[in-house]
Amino acid sequence: QVQLMESGGGSAQVGGSLTLSCGVSGFTYSTYCMGWFRQAPGKEREGVAVINNVGTTRYAASAEGRFTISRDNDKKILSLQIQNLKPEDAAMYYCAAKATWLGCLIFGLTPSYSYDAWGQGIQVTVSS
């Protein structure tokens, strides 16, 4: 059974940084497309970063230059480092897994990519 569990969220100040982690189990992690999404109150869920099985990444425009997605296939951990936090980064963050690398970088930032599993989400709060 595929399981994803986010950790590392919390509160940080504008201009600060946070690192989110997603522990995975129940599947061959190294072959999966993995993504980070976020959803703020009253807004649709949006993709912020995606990484394929060989570590190639793609970012949403809002994340480019400030977010870094990475994966450790040995430890089965997906990470998202957020730097220079902005108020608009406040949201619930979710990690997601899809059992293929096909189309990962082209479609992986959209929820319609039909990810196979989602984490329960973790809150990020940004204070001024």
Side-chain angles (χ1 to χ4, degrees):
Q1 181 180 359
V2 177
Q3 290 187 325
L4 307 175
M5 181 69 72
E6 299 95 341
S7 62
S11 181
Q13 291 187 326
V14 171
S17 62
L18 278 175
T19 298
L20 308 182
S21 297
C22 175
V24 306
S25 63
F27 60 99
T28 309
Y29 174 62
S30 61
T31 64
Y32 274 51
C33 174
M34 301 295 297
W36 282 101
F37 288 75
R38 68 185 181 186
Q39 187 168 19
K43 295 189 176 181
E44 294 187 353
R45 188 172 297 189
E46 63 169 346
V48 295
V50 64
I51 186 168
N52 69 3
N53 58 318
V54 295
T56 305
T57 60
R58 185 184 172 198
Y59 298 91
S62 59
E64 192 76 53
R66 298 189 301 116
F67 288 42
T68 303
I69 186 173
S70 61
R71 66 192 297 163
D72 186 325
N73 288 340
D74 291 332
K75 296 181 179 179
K76 293 190 175 182
I77 295 175
L78 176 74
S79 298
L80 182 71
Q81 183 180 32
I82 310 173
Q83 296 177 310
N84 190 21
L85 279 160
K86 299 180 178 182
E88 54 265 37
D89 294 326
M92 189 73 79
Y93 283 72
Y94 301 87
C95 60
K98 185 167 176 68
T100 181
W101 48 266
L102 295 175
C104 180
L105 299 179
I106 298 174
F107 305 113
L109 288 175
T110 61
S112 61
Y113 185 51
S114 298
Y115 280 88
D116 298 302
W118 293 82
Q120 84 287 351
I122 194 162
Q123 185 68 46
V124 169
T125 303
V126 182
S127 58
S128 57

